Amino acid sequence: DARVTQTPRHKVTEMGQEVTMRCQPILGHNTVFWYRQTMMQGLELLAYFRNRAPLDDSGMPKDRFSAEMPDATLATLKIQPSEPRDSAVYFCASGLTRTSVTGELFFGEGSRLTVL
Amino acid sequence: GQQLNQSPQSMFIQEGEDVSMNCTSSSIFNTWLWYKQDPGEGPVLLIALYKAGELTSNGRLTAQFGITRKDSFLNISASIPSDVGIYFCAGSSALIQGAQKLVFGQGTRLTINP
């Protein structure tokens, strides 16, 4: 059963600490998206990769957030230093270029981050 | 930036009732999608629409791409308990190097009384 895998599912940390969230896209998918979900803002696109290359990170706060794809099976989203306003559920989604063009993305279960 | 206005924000219905929700935008979209999110899970695609005026069904779900390309609706007929969740509309009007940048609505939370 192919699915997007995210770790950790839950993370509680203190302000100023570094947080790294990981995503394993569905095998064979060549696009990876990072979204953030909050009650106030809903689902916001943070960054997007195609064939491991970052193509759009305009939705990401550049000073503290960074996103990378060290290889085709791993995408990471790092926050350093973390702040309470970063508390949210972070979703990773993957797709194929063809389906990504049509918007058909497969989402992971999310990483719920709480920054105290 | 682009924004989607999704309504209603929440619905409380009886099992067996039909449900209708919609999304509007001030911008034209070339793709409309409807996702459902269960508690503790990520959104799952329900229906995708690619042409103005298109009407698509998926079981008890029916969605339409508005003629003006600025709106879409989703109907659920004969609701059942497993329909509970948050429904999101999503739209896109731009291609970014071969991939669509999706804008999501705020969601409609559906609660069903048995």
Side-chain angles (χ1 to χ4, degrees):
Chain A
D1 184 23
R3 62 178 62 186
V4 175
T5 303
Q6 289 186 246
T7 57
R9 290 294 312 276
H10 302 274
K11 176 73 174 180
V12 180
T13 190
E14 292 186 345
M15 182 174 61
Q17 296 297 306
E18 178 180 299
V19 174
T20 299
M21 288 167 277
R22 295 175 174 79
C23 168
Q24 180 176 359
I26 292 174
L27 187 64
H29 282 188
N30 65 341
T31 59
V32 173
F33 295 75
W34 283 103
Y35 284 87
R36 175 170 63 183
Q37 185 176 36
T38 61
M39 288 294 292
M40 295 299 295
Q41 300 296 328
L43 278 161
E44 305 172 276
L45 177 65
L46 298 176
Y48 154 60
F49 293 80
R50 186 178 69 179
N51 296 327
R52 295 177 56 199
L55 294 185
D56 181 15
D57 60 1
S58 58
M60 200 165 66
K62 301 294 191 301
D63 57 337
R64 299 181 299 107
F65 283 61
S66 61
E68 297 179 345
M69 277 201 77
D71 60 60
T73 64
L74 176 64
T76 62
L77 179 66
K78 185 179 295 186
I79 308 174
Q80 168 61 23
S82 57
E83 297 179 2
R85 59 179 169 155
D86 300 331
S87 298
V89 181
Y90 291 81
F91 286 103
C92 174
S94 73
L96 291 169
T97 304
R98 176 184 61 80
T99 56
S100 291
V101 170
T102 56
E104 296 180 29
L105 298 180
F106 296 81
F107 283 79
E109 294 179 314
S111 292
R112 181 177 293 276
L113 173 65
T114 302
V115 183
L116 303 175
Chain B
Q2 295 174 320
Q3 288 188 328
L4 294 183
N5 297 310
Q6 186 171 349
S7 65
Q9 291 187 0
S10 59
M11 301 183 72
F12 298 84
I13 64 170
Q14 298 293 322
E15 183 178 351
E17 288 185 18
D18 295 342
V19 173
S20 184
M21 60 191 77
N22 68 82
C23 253
T24 60
S25 171
S26 57
S27 305
I28 289 176
F29 285 132
N30 55 30
T31 302
W32 282 95
L33 306 110
W34 287 91
Y35 282 82
K36 183 194 176 195
Q37 185 177 23
D38 290 327
E41 304 286 333
V44 174
L45 182 66
L46 297 174
I47 290 180
L49 304 157
Y50 307 115
K51 292 169 56 178
E54 180 180 357
L55 184 70
T56 297
S57 293
N58 178 7
R60 294 178 295 106
L61 277 60
T62 301
Q64 183 159 31
F65 191 143
I67 288 292
T68 64
R69 297 168 65 190
K70 293 183 178 181
D71 63 316
S72 176
F73 73 73
L74 174 70
N75 288 340
I76 305 173
S77 63
S79 58
I80 60 177
S82 61
D83 291 334
V84 166
I86 304 176
Y87 292 79
F88 291 97
C89 62
S92 176
S93 61
L95 275 174
I96 300 173
Q97 301 197 43
Q100 297 218 6
K101 187 171 183 177
L102 290 180
V103 176
F104 282 83
Q106 292 294 89
T108 296
R109 183 180 296 273
L110 179 62
T111 303
I112 298 176
N113 299 316

